Amino acid sequence: MKEILVSEPSYVTHFNCIGAACRDHCCKRWNITVDKATYKKYLKSEIPNIRKVAQEEMLLTKKNVDQWALIKFNEEGNCSFFTEDSLCYIHKVAGPKSLSHTCSSYPRTQTTYKNEELKSLNLSCPESVRHILFNEQAMNLETTSMLKSNFNQSSPVDMEGRLINLFCANLMMQPQNRVEENLYAIIYFIIFYQKITGSLDEKIGQMENAYESIVTQMASGALTEAMGNVKELQTLELQLLLGLQKHMLETEGLRGQDRLLDYMIRLNNFFGSDKTEEQLSSGLSQLKKGWDCIALHWLNQRPYIMRNYFQYRLYHDQFGMTRQQPLLKEIYLIVVDYFFIKSLLSAAALEKGYLTDDDLIDVMYSYSTVRQHDRKVNDKFSQEIDRFKRNDDLSVLNLLV
């Protein structure tokens, strides 16, 4: 037997679907796939309505055994099994074990390595957002072990990448007045790391020294002082706000898109096509004021909220461990997401004069619906960022001020 380590944050352990009470249920407006075994089970079901839906309201795709069919939507855009009381008919009459893998697992996710499994939740579920952001203990990690007959058919953990991830996660948890200072520290660490060479054993000591030096600078205020020398770059900010948001709405019909559009309309009040350059600059200044004077004041009552968000991103995205793109590009994408989310919240704060938990939940889940589930949007985000930063990876620092 082989030992498999299983890591599960508190936000996963305590998550439960709230069903009909959900503000934006997940049984609509995106592809709901059914695996082959479940599809055949529905066709042979003793329950007439389940059998009827399988025969008439499923589209056979036979893409693979996990994506054998798609459930068609009704006129309201809901799953054909969605009932008038906002519940799943299959769950209601046949129980949770009768659900397809897609329906029984979402929003739960799992990253699998040879001898490890890491549990998480997608942030595209409103209830996930609540558990991830609004619980100070959400990121507490429990690791257990289980025995399997064989190791998972996945690559082993990249230990160097894991060290990078752990150092960055610890830098995010250092007490600072603003979370931007923690992001600055992480970027500072990444820049140092990219300069060192040698085996992992040779690198570890240098990474530890760099980490300790940065923590010392954070505690003394030296890092905050250094960050004060970074200048605002409004040209980059405008390019990102105007260039990226068009991709957010390119894929029509996504769940949560209407809610995201509401917040984007508020944001675009500051950046309409009829605005002069001076007005656009003024719009950016107003957004910063909205963040500093309203949003940040509200968030500082629970400073763990945004730290949880970044801790979640480092863990859920497996930052530094996938090696799919350079580290500075990885952190650039995370910072751009934060910049966009900040802008949406700032615009709402300026319009209303305050923010609520509902605002944060709505922005986070609707934005994440696009960013976590639409690969085309992710690719275009990456391409646009490359175009705007013009080979200047360090311009990410300008988005922190």
Side-chain angles (χ1 to χ4, degrees):
M1 301 296 284
K2 308 299 182 182
E3 183 181 35
I4 307 295
L5 297 178
V6 181
S7 296
E8 182 172 287
S10 178
Y11 65 78
V12 177
T13 306
H14 293 98
F15 175 83
N16 282 300
C17 174
I18 58 174
C22 185
R23 70 183 64 204
D24 193 6
H25 67 82
C26 56
C27 307
K28 65 178 181 181
R29 298 182 69 178
W30 53 10
N31 289 340
I32 301 175
T33 59
V34 179
D35 56 272
K36 184 177 181 179
T38 303
Y39 174 72
K40 288 187 172 183
K41 182 169 62 177
Y42 290 171
L43 281 176
K44 298 176 182 178
S45 175
E46 296 178 357
I47 302 172
N49 283 348
I50 292 180
R51 194 166 60 248
K52 183 174 185 293
V53 169
Q55 293 169 344
E56 300 177 6
E57 303 297 334
M58 287 193 185
L59 178 66
L60 272 178
T61 59
K62 297 185 179 181
K63 188 173 181 180
N64 55 53
V65 293
D66 295 322
Q67 302 179 58
W68 196 252
L70 286 174
I71 298 179
K72 297 178 183 178
F73 296 138
N74 60 23
E75 293 179 356
E76 288 76 38
N78 294 325
C79 170
S80 298
F81 287 116
F82 196 67
T83 64
E84 291 182 357
D85 52 359
S86 298
L87 294 171
C88 172
Y89 180 76
I90 291 177
H91 191 287
K92 189 175 182 179
V93 301
K97 291 184 179 180
S98 296
L99 295 172
S100 69
H101 175 72
T102 298
C103 297
S104 63
S105 61
Y106 179 81
R108 298 169 183 85
T109 69
Q110 178 173 294
T111 301
T112 302
Y113 295 103
K114 180 180 178 180
N115 62 335
E116 289 192 42
E117 295 175 2
L118 297 102
K119 310 287 187 180
S120 188
L121 299 174
N122 278 315
L123 205 58
S124 53
C125 164
E127 186 66 4
S128 291
V129 176
R130 192 177 70 80
H131 279 276
I132 293 167
L133 299 188
F134 293 100
N135 180 355
E136 192 168 4
Q137 310 303 320
M139 294 307 304
N140 287 354
L141 198 66
E142 181 176 350
T143 301
T144 57
S145 64
M146 64 178 180
L147 295 177
K148 284 187 173 182
S149 56
N150 290 298
F151 286 122
N152 296 320
Q153 293 184 345
S154 303
S155 59
V157 172
D158 181 329
M159 293 310 298
E160 188 167 336
R162 166 155 288 172
L163 280 173
I164 294 167
N165 186 289
L166 289 172
F167 279 124
C168 291
N170 282 320
L171 287 172
M172 178 51 62
M173 291 308 296
Q174 298 300 314
Q176 296 290 288
N177 291 329
R178 298 173 71 107
V179 74
E180 286 84 355
E181 294 168 9
N182 299 83
L183 289 169
Y184 184 91
I186 289 172
I187 295 166
Y188 191 4
F189 177 81
I190 291 171
I191 292 170
F192 171 83
Y193 166 76
Q194 291 183 329
K195 294 177 181 178
I196 63 177
T197 58
S199 67
L200 178 56
D201 288 340
E202 293 170 328
K203 289 179 179 179
I204 288 176
Q206 298 178 72
M207 293 166 71
E208 289 176 341
N209 290 338
Y211 169 79
E212 291 171 3
S213 174
I214 293 171
V215 169
T216 299
Q217 292 178 60
M218 295 174 82
S220 69
L223 186 135
T224 303
E225 185 178 344
M227 190 174 169
N229 295 321
V230 179
K231 304 301 180 184
E232 179 183 15
L233 192 58
Q234 286 198 342
T235 303
L236 176 63
E237 294 175 348
L238 284 170
Q239 286 176 326
L240 288 171
L241 284 176
L242 300 176
L244 293 179
Q245 64 178 303
K246 65 182 179 183
H247 299 306
M248 302 296 290
L249 303 175
E250 277 186 352
T251 304
E252 295 182 2
L254 283 178
R255 171 181 152 272
Q257 203 170 53
D258 292 341
R259 199 147 299 185
L260 178 61
L261 182 59
D262 287 342
Y263 284 91
M264 288 177 64
I265 289 171
R266 293 183 176 116
L267 179 61
N268 281 327
N269 287 334
F270 297 91
F271 304 106
S273 58
D274 59 333
K275 303 288 186 183
T276 64
E277 187 174 331
E278 185 178 347
Q279 289 172 323
L280 290 173
S281 176
S282 174
L284 282 174
S285 298
Q286 289 180 64
L287 284 182
K288 291 186 190 308
K289 187 175 293 185
W291 182 258
D292 290 339
C293 299
I294 303 174
L296 195 59
H297 175 74
W298 175 74
L299 284 167
N300 280 343
Q301 297 174 39
R302 291 168 293 179
Y304 55 85
I305 288 178
M306 291 315 300
R307 294 191 192 281
N308 279 8
Y309 171 71
F310 288 109
Q311 289 281 73
Y312 163 83
R313 289 296 303 269
L314 293 172
Y315 171 80
H316 182 86
D317 297 357
Q318 292 293 280
F319 179 81
M321 297 173 64
T322 63
R323 303 287 179 158
Q324 293 178 355
Q325 53 192 348
L327 285 172
L328 278 177
K329 181 64 177 296
E330 280 194 63
I331 197 67
Y332 212 120
L333 284 166
I334 292 175
V335 171
V336 166
D337 283 337
Y338 176 54
F339 172 70
F340 210 104
I341 288 166
K342 277 177 63 175
S343 300
L344 292 170
L345 289 171
S346 296
L350 286 169
E351 180 184 285
K352 302 194 303 180
Y354 61 90
L355 283 178
T356 66
D357 289 2
D358 286 337
D359 287 313
L360 185 56
I361 291 172
D362 285 344
V363 167
M364 282 290 188
Y365 98 82
S366 62
Y367 181 83
S368 299
T369 297
V370 179
R371 291 289 282 119
Q372 288 188 329
H373 299 283
D374 194 323
R375 185 170 295 178
K376 291 181 180 178
V377 170
N378 288 341
D379 291 342
K380 288 179 179 178
F381 256 58
S382 184
Q383 292 165 10
E384 290 284 81
I385 289 171
D386 285 339
R387 186 163 67 90
F388 295 143
K389 69 185 179 68
R390 297 174 184 175
N391 296 318
D392 182 10
D393 289 331
L394 292 184
S395 61
V396 64
L397 297 172
N398 300 105
L399 297 175
L400 301 180
V401 298

